Amino acid sequence: MKTAIYPGSFDPVTFGHIDIIKRAASLFDKVIVLVSINPVKEADFSAEERMDFIRRSIKLKNVEIDCNVGLFIDYFRKRNADVIVKGIRAMSDFEYEFQMALINKDLCHTAETVFLSADAASMFLSSSAVKQIAMFGGDISAFVPNCILKDILERMKIK
């Protein structure tokens, strides 16, 4: 059984993330969507909220949602995973993610990284852009699932 981990901040989850999750779920027996908590990066949504958003947005039997504070590769080992899944939108994503793949491989020789390119509709999409559009009252319904739309809009609107 091949287990893949798709780590990210998912602050919040977007249709781009969901596309990668669904495609990974079709390739691997089990996919763990891992909300990574970075103590030097302030998130707009708590880890619990981000996990809830993902749970509400994805209903696949072979997808599990979890969170982690600490070194990713320690979590990878603990879960006895086989593959790291990373979504790539542009060359700048690839450069960063390629460096991370090399570091992870150095820290754990069994850690293989698989890069999935974003679909054309999601190439430009980022959580940061979604939050900024929402902050100024823009329509983000094309970027996030309807089941979490209201939560995002309420949190992000300028008071």
Side-chain angles (χ1 to χ4, degrees), residues 57-89:
S57 302
I58 292 285
K59 306 276 191 228
L60 297 172
K61 291 183 186 216
N62 66 330
V63 173
E64 174 186 331
I65 293 92
D66 201 0
C67 71
N68 181 56
V69 178
L71 192 60
F72 167 76
I73 208 69
D74 291 339
Y75 181 90
F76 180 88
R77 280 192 197 103
K78 183 176 114 184
R79 294 304 304 262
N80 210 15
D82 303 289
V83 174
I84 302 163
V85 171
K86 297 303 293 191
I88 303 292
R89 292 173 298 182

Side-chain angles (χ1 to χ4, degrees), residues 52-122:
D52 178 58
F53 288 173
I54 299 165
R55 278 190 195 100
R56 287 162 44 195
S57 302
I58 292 285
K59 306 276 191 228
L60 297 172
K61 291 183 186 216
N62 66 330
V63 173
E64 174 186 331
I65 293 92
D66 201 0
C67 71
N68 181 56
V69 178
L71 192 60
F72 167 76
I73 208 69
D74 291 339
Y75 181 90
F76 180 88
R77 280 192 197 103
K78 183 176 114 184
R79 294 304 304 262
N80 210 15
D82 303 289
V83 174
I84 302 163
V85 171
K86 297 303 293 191
I88 303 292
R89 292 173 298 182
M91 282 308 292
S92 57
D93 284 349
F94 178 75
E95 289 175 21
Y96 173 78
E97 295 301 349
F98 185 68
Q99 288 175 355
M100 293 306 300
L102 293 174
I103 291 168
N104 285 329
K105 187 75 167 168
D106 192 52
L107 294 172
C108 177
H109 73 280
T110 62
E112 295 294 344
T113 301
V114 171
F115 299 105
L116 296 178
S117 62
D119 67 355
S122 301

Side-chain angles (χ1 to χ4, degrees), residues 9 11 35-37 43 45-55 65-69:
S9 59
D11 188 37
V35 174
S36 298
I37 301 165
F45 298 93
S46 71
E48 293 76 21
E49 287 172 313
R50 290 179 274 162
M51 290 173 59
D52 178 58
F53 288 173
I54 299 165
R55 278 190 195 100
I65 293 92
D66 201 0
C67 71
N68 181 56
V69 178

